[in-house]
Amino acid sequence: MDARNATRTDAAARRPAPPTGLAASLAVARSGAGALGGRRRLGMLALVGLPVLFQVVVLIWGGGRGSAFANFVWLVDKIYLRAIAPLVLIFVGTAAFGDEWDGGTAPYLLGAPIKRSTIVLGRWSAAVARALVLLLPAILVLYVLCLLPFEGAMANYLGELGAVLLATTLMGLAYGAVFLFLGLALRRSVMVSFIIALVFEGFIGSLPYGFGVLSLGFHARNLVWRLTGHEGFHPPTFGLDVGEPISAAASILFTLLAGVVLFLLLSAWVLRRKQFAGGAGTDGADS
Amino acid sequence: MTRPPARLRLNRVSRWYGDVLALDAVDLELGPGVTGLLGPNGAGKSTLIRLVVGLASPGAGAESQDQVAATVGGTPGAGTVTLDGQVVRNNVEALLRIGYVPDGDGLYEEQTARRFLVDQSRLRGFAPADGARRAEEMLKRVGLLDAADRKAGGFSKGMRQRLKLAQAMLHDPDVLVLDEPLTGLDPVMRRDYIRIVRELGDEGVTVLVSSHVLHEIEAMTDGIVLLHHGQVLAEGTVPDIRDLLDQYARRIRLTTPAPRELARELLQHDGLVTALELADGAVVVETMGPDRMCSLVQDLAASARHTVTTVEPLDEDLTSVFAYLVD
């Protein structure tokens, strides 16, 4: 028994301390990252690359017609910020934990000696990074393609481009938190997320001022408009005299970041209470 | 920092699934060495194990507080699971000392075995270089070094079980919890797996291994806990349990080309056979003296008076054991 005691004492001494802070978040972000199947990666790539492909076709066969900064604005506003970005973030956000429940790998993550809030933070940052690594280059390429026919034009709209990239990043952070929370809290999270994206982004976000504040996309587009003053990002008025749209850039920024913090805190709360008990005919997680 | 060997304690632990009581005020204390958790399917083994590793909370799942109170004799709450006095759930320090092999096939299908283990080592606080070295050691220990760079999606059931064991051992845990680990292993893999579990027990690791097959557990340990309908039915060594069984008649199937003749012979031995049944090409006997019965069959076979091709105990599976003990 003494020999046993010595063996276990040695083992305890050799064992590293539990990871904390950034190291823990990075470890969580990395875990399972290589598990995303090739077909799913290809699907996301195709979705994000579709407008780029469209613009290539316009460039080759359109002889420069339809290539202008206005086109870039239209594609970013109507296609990327309203549709593709939410879709990609639904995909990566709900999968951040959903895949663990479905694949039976949750015990490896939840059994790790890491605080649940750190696990949430790690998985959220991984999901957002996975989305942005596709979205930002696509928008950048689109910018180049739209302005390629016009000599020297690319340098004229760099401020607008920066604002668009910033808004997309902020939108990614916020939507990543929302969809990660839904993936944790709901069994049919993908369906609910689609409905939320459709209702809030497709409908409410397009209503005149007042209603739009309920849409994250509205805030993101509003931020671009506030920063650049480009009319293409001006919130719709439907001919109504509704006064100035909400707030300055700083308060939009605050709204988006507050949304991120709120949903991350909710996610950590849900994960801390999550029961992975199986039994009674189920083998997954139950709340 | 040094720590003594781990003592795991379940104190009146209950767990509900709606109106189904999966664990009913279970009291259990486990120390260094291997302990087998035996029970038929649905006994509550996996539920107990998930409570032990902190994936679920005692008492959760009940539809009302009345259910919880009734379960634990009116005491609020529904028990605790502690490791050396510390509550396990949501406790980073306790989780660092536990390794867990879950049941089921869950692995990251697109990841290689090596990548999986390196990632898992990072989750347990290893630096990248140390994690890679440790992953290599574990792959070697479970015999997966040749398949280290293959994706888990292409692994057989046995390879998956070994990879799961490797991840559980990565951080040299004080407590190792294995949920039905021998499922799907071929005889050679099974032998190696059992050897590793025994070695860990000898090293002073507190090992809890579940199974619904008695001989699997018997190969790993003498100490067993019998779980049935969410309650600890018996606790002790395999001989203790066998003593319990000896109070009941045992059934043995004897395969022979001449069942009637063999049956006639067996019935001539007073008190040996308590019941007999003829089957196609076999005799199923019920006896209070299984050892005496086996000797007799050996004698008959040796004397060439009867041909007995197989002797098969029909009571080795746990469902029969539990049927005896419960009835």
Side-chain angles (χ1 to χ4, degrees):
Chain A
M1 197 62 206
D2 285 346
R4 275 181 167 190
N5 276 340
T7 308
R8 297 320 308 154
T9 302
D10 290 348
R14 282 197 306 269
R15 201 176 300 136
T20 53
L22 186 63
S25 290
L26 286 174
V28 171
R30 189 184 144 91
S31 71
L36 199 64
R39 263 186 299 182
R40 294 167 69 183
R41 261 184 296 210
L42 208 63
M44 284 208 300
L45 196 65
L47 182 67
V48 173
L50 216 56
V52 175
L53 200 66
F54 169 78
Q55 198 54 36
V56 170
V57 171
V58 167
L59 199 63
I60 293 172
W61 281 285
R65 280 172 301 172
S67 292
F69 184 69
N71 263 61
F72 172 72
V73 170
W74 189 86
L75 283 169
V76 166
D77 179 43
K78 299 288 190 289
I79 306 294
Y80 275 107
L81 294 184
R82 285 175 200 266
I84 291 178
L87 283 174
V88 169
L89 284 152
I90 285 173
F91 193 67
V92 296
T94 55
F97 285 100
D99 279 3
E100 303 280 356
W101 311 143
D102 296 344
T105 51
Y108 305 122
L109 184 64
L110 302 185
I114 295 177
K115 281 184 182 174
R116 297 284 167 104
S117 53
T118 309
I119 292 177
V120 165
L121 204 60
R123 277 300 159 100
W124 167 73
S125 48
V128 173
R130 204 173 289 166
L132 292 183
V133 91
L134 290 174
L135 287 168
L136 297 185
I139 290 173
L140 206 60
V141 171
L142 192 68
Y143 176 80
V144 172
L145 290 173
C146 284
L147 297 177
L148 202 59
F150 309 100
E151 199 177 336
M154 269 183 231
N156 296 340
Y157 301 101
L158 289 179
E160 281 82 353
L161 176 65
V164 164
L165 295 178
L166 175 68
T168 308
T169 304
L170 287 170
M171 196 173 163
L173 295 174
Y175 260 136
V178 171
F179 294 137
L180 181 136
F181 167 71
L182 292 175
L184 266 175
L186 304 175
R187 282 183 190 275
R188 300 192 180 280
S189 56
V190 177
M191 184 66 75
V192 175
S193 299
F194 270 122
I195 292 168
I196 285 177
L198 194 73
V199 170
F200 279 81
E201 296 311 319
F203 179 62
I204 292 177
S206 301
L207 290 177
Y209 317 135
F211 294 103
V213 294
L214 296 170
S215 149
L216 290 172
F218 171 86
H219 290 292
R221 293 189 301 275
N222 208 4
L223 182 67
V224 182
W225 179 68
R226 276 285 178 185
L227 291 175
T228 66
H230 196 286
E231 283 304 309
F233 294 101
H234 193 286
T237 62
F238 300 99
L240 301 171
D241 181 15
V242 288
E244 272 298 291
I246 58 142
S247 57
S251 63
I252 296 169
L253 210 60
F254 174 79
T255 306
L256 286 170
L257 293 179
V260 169
V261 172
L262 174 70
F263 280 100
L264 288 183
L265 286 174
L266 282 173
S267 300
W269 180 74
V270 170
L271 190 61
R272 201 174 158 77
R273 293 169 55 86
K274 199 86 180 169
Q275 301 288 320
F276 194 83
T282 65
D283 197 39
D286 53 321
S287 296
Chain B
M1 190 167 65
T2 58
R3 296 188 194 100
R7 294 210 78 79
L8 196 60
R9 181 161 169 68
L10 282 79
N11 181 24
R12 298 192 67 74
V13 168
S14 301
R15 183 62 162 85
W16 290 85
Y17 294 105
D19 58 356
V20 177
L21 182 58
L23 283 181
D24 187 2
V26 169
D27 274 319
L28 205 57
E29 186 159 352
L30 304 171
V34 183
T35 303
L37 181 63
L38 281 164
N41 290 329
K45 300 187 299 295
S46 290
T47 299
L48 186 145
I49 277 179
R50 286 170 182 173
L51 290 165
V52 164
V53 300
L55 288 174
S57 309
E63 285 179 342
S64 72
Q65 282 304 307
D66 291 345
Q67 284 181 333
V68 177
T71 311
V72 294
T75 310
T80 52
V81 179
T82 55
L83 176 58
D84 290 335
Q86 287 186 312
V87 171
V88 172
R89 181 151 163 94
N90 286 328
N91 182 339
V92 168
E93 288 294 333
L95 290 175
L96 186 66
R97 300 177 62 197
I98 297 175
Y100 171 44
V101 173
D103 62 343
D105 269 349
L107 283 171
Y108 299 111
E109 304 290 320
E110 296 291 323
Q111 278 189 347
T112 65
R114 189 189 305 277
R115 167 76 196 265
F116 173 59
L117 292 183
V118 169
D119 283 358
Q120 289 296 309
S121 72
R122 302 280 289 275
L123 287 173
R124 288 167 175 83
F126 283 92
D130 292 341
R133 184 183 47 75
R134 191 70 185 150
E136 187 90 0
E137 285 172 14
M138 289 302 107
L139 285 165
K140 192 173 175 185
R141 184 160 188 185
V142 300
L144 278 180
L145 207 50
D146 291 342
D149 296 309
R150 280 171 52 193
K151 287 183 179 176
F155 277 14
S156 67
K157 180 101 179 170
M159 293 166 84
R160 286 167 172 268
Q161 291 287 24
R162 286 189 283 162
L163 183 56
K164 290 193 301 184
L165 178 63
Q167 69 78 31
M169 295 191 302
L170 267 174
H171 54 305
D172 204 353
D174 294 331
V175 177
L176 187 63
V177 183
L178 314 167
D179 197 353
E180 301 274 359
L182 299 182
T183 308
L185 293 179
D186 66 36
V188 177
M189 286 184 193
R190 189 177 291 243
R191 187 196 62 206
D192 291 346
Y193 204 108
I194 289 169
R195 177 183 50 77
I196 293 172
V197 171
R198 291 182 75 113
E199 281 172 7
L200 290 166
D202 291 343
E203 288 168 17
V205 178
T206 300
V207 183
L208 178 64
V209 54
S210 81
S211 176
H212 60 278
V213 183
L214 183 57
H215 67 82
E216 283 186 359
I217 293 292
E218 208 172 350
M220 287 186 261
T221 180
D222 256 1
I224 61 175
V225 173
L226 289 177
L227 201 64
H228 188 59
H229 288 322
Q231 291 181 316
V232 175
L233 203 60
E235 211 178 326
T237 63
V238 172
D240 290 340
I241 303 301
R242 288 213 179 280
D243 285 348
L244 275 174
L245 287 177
D246 284 347
Q247 297 169 22
Y248 302 88
R250 307 287 294 275
R251 294 173 77 228
I252 299 171
R253 182 189 174 90
L254 307 167
T255 310
T256 172
R260 283 184 181 281
E261 288 73 13
L262 180 62
R264 198 174 301 124
E265 176 82 39
L266 295 174
L267 287 170
Q268 286 172 11
H269 295 264
D270 288 341
L272 182 61
V273 176
T274 54
L276 187 144
E277 189 184 320
L278 287 175
D280 187 22
V283 182
V284 177
V285 292
E286 199 174 283
T287 176
M288 295 294 288
D291 295 339
R292 205 175 128 216
M293 173 63 73
C294 287
S295 300
L296 174 63
V297 170
Q298 277 178 356
D299 291 345
L300 291 175
S303 67
R305 277 189 288 154
H306 294 278
T307 304
V308 179
T309 51
T310 60
V311 179
E312 182 187 3
L314 297 179
D315 299 310
E316 284 302 303
D317 67 290
L318 269 180
T319 306
S320 309
V321 174
F322 283 103
Y324 285 138
L325 294 177
V326 174
D327 295 343

